[in-house]
Amino acid sequence: MKMIQNLSLLFVFCFYCLPIVIQGSDQHERKPYIVYMGEMPMGRTYAIKEHHLNLLEAVTGSQKIARQIRIHSYGKSFNGFVARLLPREAKKLRGEDNVISVFPNTHNKLHTTRSWDYLGMTLNVNRRLNIESNTIVGVLDTGISLDCPSFNDKGFGPPPPRWKGKCVTGANFSGCNNKVIGAKYFYLEQPVIENASPVDEDGHGTHTSSTAAGVPVAGASVDGIGRGTARGGVPSARIAMYKVCWESGCSDMDMLAAFDEAIADGVNLISVSIGGPPRDFFSDPIAIGSFHAMRRGILTSCSAGNDGPDLNSVENVAPWIMTVAASSIDREYATMVALGDGKNATGVSINTFTPENKMYPLISGALAANHSRDDYGNASSCDTGTLSKEMVMGRIVYCLGQGNQDWTIKDLGGAGTIVGLDERADFGSITIIPGSYVEANTVGKQIDLYINNTKDPVAIIYKSISTRTPAPRIISFSSRGPQSIANNILKPDLAAPGADILAGFSNLATLTGNPQDPRHNVFNILSGTSMACPHATAAAAYVKSFRPGWSPAAIKSALMTTATPMSIKDNSAELGSGAGQINPLSAIHPGLLYDMNMNSYIAYLCKEGYTNTNIDILIGSKGFNCSTIVPPPQSTDGINYPSMHIRILSPNSTISAIFYRSVTNVGQANSTYKAIVTAPKGLSIEVVPDILQFSRLRQELSFKVVLKGPPMPKEISILSASIEWNDSRHSVRSPILVYKESDDFMK
Ligand SMILES: *[C@@H]1O[C@H](CO)[C@@H](O)[C@H](O)[C@H]1NC(C)=O
Ligand SMILES: *[C@@H]1O[C@H](CO)[C@@H](O)[C@H](O)[C@H]1NC(C)=O
Ligand SMILES: *[C@@H]1O[C@H](CO)[C@@H](O)[C@H](O)[C@H]1NC(C)=O
Ligand SMILES: *[C@@H]1O[C@H](CO)[C@@H](O)[C@H](O)[C@H]1NC(C)=O
Ligand SMILES: *[C@@H]1O[C@H](CO)[C@@H](O)[C@H](O)[C@H]1NC(C)=O
Ligand SMILES: *[C@@H]1O[C@H](CO)[C@@H](O)[C@H](O)[C@H]1NC(C)=O
Ligand SMILES: *[C@@H]1O[C@H](CO)[C@@H](O)[C@H](O)[C@H]1NC(C)=O
Ligand SMILES: *[C@@H]1O[C@H](CO)[C@@H](O)[C@H](O)[C@H]1NC(C)=O
Ligand SMILES: *[C@@H]1O[C@H](CO)[C@@H](O)[C@H](O)[C@H]1NC(C)=O
C-alpha cells in the first residue's frame, strides 16, 4: 500500500526523477513499451515497482539498466509498467509469466447548445439531483480551463465522500472547485514539458467536459452566433479531468496511467474522445483501461472516430466500450453570400465576421492564378503557391475543393473565401476570414458563371446565422463499421449529437486553434465524434442517477434499445449509426435489459481464443478454465450484446447465424413481450420463443435469433433488419445487420 502511495507522489510531482542516462549505442534504439500484466495481484502484499524492476533486470541482465529504463509503474487499478526497451527485450518480456502483452507506445488523436433540448432533456427535466450531484464524470482529454463559466461551482457542496482524487496545480491552473473536483496531468514522454499543468491550452477538453456536465450558462455564444443557454447533460454532476493529450497527441502510456488513477480515484463514468487505429484488445490502452473500469462498475464511453464515411473506419471497438457515432441536431449555421447581380447563395460555415456595408470585388482561383507557377498545383482549388497575390488582395476568392483555403487566401491578403464542395457540408467550420462553404455543382456553379460573365463581379459574405434543418442524420465524418477486431459485434453502438456543438472553451486557445487567430472565447462551436461522446457519457450518467444499481452493460443496453433508428444518406446503415440516436428519457424505462457482467466478457474472450493463462492474469484468478463456460458452440457472437451482427467473409456464402440472448425484466413484474421482426427480402429471421412471459422483476429469460438466407446478390453488401420486444408499454429494439465483404476482401 505504501509503495503505491509513493508511486502516486512520484507521479504527480516528479515525472522524471530518474534521469535516463543510458550508455552506449543502445540509447537511441530504446523506445517506450508498455508491458501489460492484467489485474492487480491479490492476496499478498506486493511491491509492484520491485517486481517490475526484477522483470527488467531478468531481460537486460543488469539492475542498473533496469532502474534507468523503467519509466512508470501502473498499479492502482491494474498491473503493468512502461520502460524503454530494445525490440529483443520486448520480445523476451512477452514470454514472461504474468505478462499479457508488450506493445510499443504510440500516439492517439483527438476526435475533434441546443443539443440537450433536442434530445428531450429540457432545462427543467425530472432529475435525481441528490444522486446526480454525487456522480463523478472522469474525462481523459486535453485538460480543462476553469475560466469557462460552465464550471462555476456556485451552489455545489463538497466532493462526494468516496472521492479519492486530487487536484494538481501548475501553470495557468490554480486549483479546482466543487464542480471540477479533480485535475491531473500525465506526460511520461521525455524530455519533460516545462510548466506542465492540467490547464487546457487546446479547448477540446473544456468543450467535452462542459458538454457532459457543465452548469447552465445563459447568453452563451461565439460572437453572437448560436446564442442560448449552454449546458451539460448532467449539470449537477462533478468533473474530474485527466489530461493526457499534448501537442504531440495522446500517448498510450499516458492514457493508461490516467485510467489507472481515474478508476482508483472513484469516478463513476469515463469519457474518452480520443482514438487510434483499432488494435488487439490487450495492446490497446483504451480497451485495457475500460476493461478494468468495467470490472469496477464504471462505463467507458468513447468516440467512434472521424474517418467516415469510409467503411472499416470505426475505432474503440471493444465490446465493453460504448462506441459513439456523431449525428446532427436540428440546428445548423448558414452563411449567406449576396452577389452583385442581386442573387443570394447560402452556404454553411461559422463566420464570426460582420461585413462592412459594401460589396467586395470577387474573383475565382482559376482567374487569380499566377501562371508562372502553374506546376505548383491547382489554382481552381486555390492550392498554396498557385495564386497571384495581386489578384487576390482585397478580393473574395471562389475556390473549389475540400477545405482550408481560407488560410491561403488570408495569407495573400484576400477579403474572404467561398469554397465550392463536392457535397453540401453537413457541419460548419470556423473560418479565419469571412467565408462560406457552398455546394459546387449548384450554388458554386452559379457563382462561377457570374464571375466569368461579369466585368467587375462583387459579393458580400454575411455573418452566420443559425437555422433549422431536418435531423438527425449521421454526419459524413463519423467513422463507420464494420470492425475487424471483434468481427461479429456491431460498432458503433449508438449515435449522439456531434455537429456544430456550442460548449465551453479555453481562453488560452484561439477559436480555430491556429496561433495566428486573434479570437479567444470561453465558448466555441465544434464538430466531431469527440463532441458526440460526452453527450452519450452524460446520457449514461443521467440513467445511472435513476438506476444506480445497473451495470455498465445494462446502462449501455438501455441507451441502445431505446435509441431512435436513423436513416443515413450513404448506404452504410447501422454501420454508421449503430442502434440510432440516444433517447436519455426513454432509457430510464427500457423494459428489458441485455445485461452482461465480467463473466459474460470472459466467456466471450474464451471464444475469441484467449488462453486460460491469459485470462487468469487478466482477472487475477487461478486455474480459470474456458471450457467450463463457453456458450453453445453454434453461437455466432458468443455474447449477450444488445445488437446482432454477422460479417460474411466469403461473397458466395449463404447467410446462416444464430444469436443466443437473454433479457432481464426491469419493467412491470407481470409482462408479456412479443417479438416483432423486420427483415428485408433475402433474409429470414426466426425468434425462438417469440413470446416472453415475465412474472417478476429482475427475471431473466432466454431466446435465440436464427438468421438464414441465400448468398447475397453481388450488388448488395448490407442487409438491415431488427428485432423489437414489445409489451405495448416498452419497445426494446435491437438492430440486426448482415454485412458481406466485397469480392476482393479475400484476395
Ligand atoms: C501560462 O503559463 C505560462 C507559464 O507559466 C506563462 O508563460 C503564460 O504567460 C501563461 N499564460 C496565461 C494566459 O496566463
Ligand atoms: C439577399 O439577401 C439580402 C440580405 O439578407 C436581402 O436583403 C435580399 O433581399 C436577398 N435577395 C434575394 C434575391 O433573395
Ligand atoms: C508569381 O510567381 C512568381 C514565381 O514564383 C513570383 O516571383 C511572383 O512574385 C508571383 N507573382 C505574384 C503577383 O504573386
Ligand atoms: C483542380 O481541382 C478541382 C477541384 O478539386 C478539380 O475539379 C479539377 O479537375 C482540378 N484541375 C486540375 C487541372 O487538376
Ligand atoms: C469560369 O472560367 C474558368 C477559367 O476560365 C473555368 O475554369 C471555369 O470552368 C469557368 N466556370 C464555368 C462555370 O463555366
Ligand atoms: C477444463 O474443463 C474441461 C471440461 O470440464 C476438462 O476436460 C479439462 O481437463 C479442464 N482443463 C484444465 C486445464 O483444467
Ligand atoms: C463466387 O462465385 C462467382 C460466380 O460463381 C465466382 O466467379 C467467384 O470466383 C466466387 N468467389 C469465391 C470467393 O468463391
Ligand atoms: C402477477 O400475476 C400473478 C398471476 O396472475 C399474480 O398472482 C401476481 O400477484 C401478479 N404479480 C404482480 C406483481 O402483479
Ligand atoms: C410497441 O410498443 C409501443 C410502446 O412503447 C407502442 O406505442 C407501439 O405501438 C408498439 N408497436 C407495435 C408494433 O406493437
Side-chain angles (χ1 to χ4, degrees), residues 153-226:
D153 71 345
K154 193 162 165 256
F156 280 79
R162 69 161 195 293
W163 176 239
K164 293 196 274 297
K166 283 205 189 70
C167 188
V168 178
T169 56
N172 306 319
F173 196 82
S174 56
C176 296
N177 61 19
N178 284 330
K179 175 74 192 176
V180 179
I181 60 173
K184 294 179 178 177
Y185 65 89
F186 302 87
Y187 190 81
L188 294 166
E189 211 83 51
Q190 299 190 333
V192 55
I193 286 185
E194 303 257 339
N195 300 319
S197 91
V199 84
D200 183 10
E201 293 179 310
D202 178 283
H204 189 275
T206 301
H207 201 275
T208 56
S209 314
S210 62
T211 299
V215 300
V217 181
S221 77
V222 177
D223 280 339
I225 300 175

Side-chain angles (χ1 to χ4, degrees), residues 102-181:
V102 180
F103 55 98
N105 180 54
T106 64
H107 286 85
N108 303 282
K109 56 180 198 288
L110 294 163
H111 287 148
T112 314
T113 13
R114 148 138 193 93
S115 52
W116 288 112
D117 283 324
Y118 178 67
L119 291 173
M121 288 177 74
T122 53
L123 202 48
N124 46 17
V125 71
N126 182 23
R127 292 181 181 279
R128 292 275 167 89
L129 283 182
N130 51 338
I131 304 181
E132 189 177 305
S133 68
N134 276 321
T135 301
I136 305 164
V137 180
V139 183
L140 273 56
D141 214 300
T142 60
I144 193 162
S145 166
L146 266 63
D147 294 340
C148 172
S150 300
F151 307 125
N152 188 326
D153 71 345
K154 193 162 165 256
F156 280 79
R162 69 161 195 293
W163 176 239
K164 293 196 274 297
K166 283 205 189 70
C167 188
V168 178
T169 56
N172 306 319
F173 196 82
S174 56
C176 296
N177 61 19
N178 284 330
K179 175 74 192 176
V180 179
I181 60 173

Side-chain angles (χ1 to χ4, degrees), residues 647-655 710-712 739-746:
R647 257 180 102 190
I648 298 187
L649 301 179
S650 165
N652 297 339
S653 302
T654 56
I655 301 169
M712 287 160 71
Y739 177 74
K740 183 193 67 176
E741 290 296 343
S742 62
D743 268 307
D744 42 332
F745 174 76
M746 302 300 285

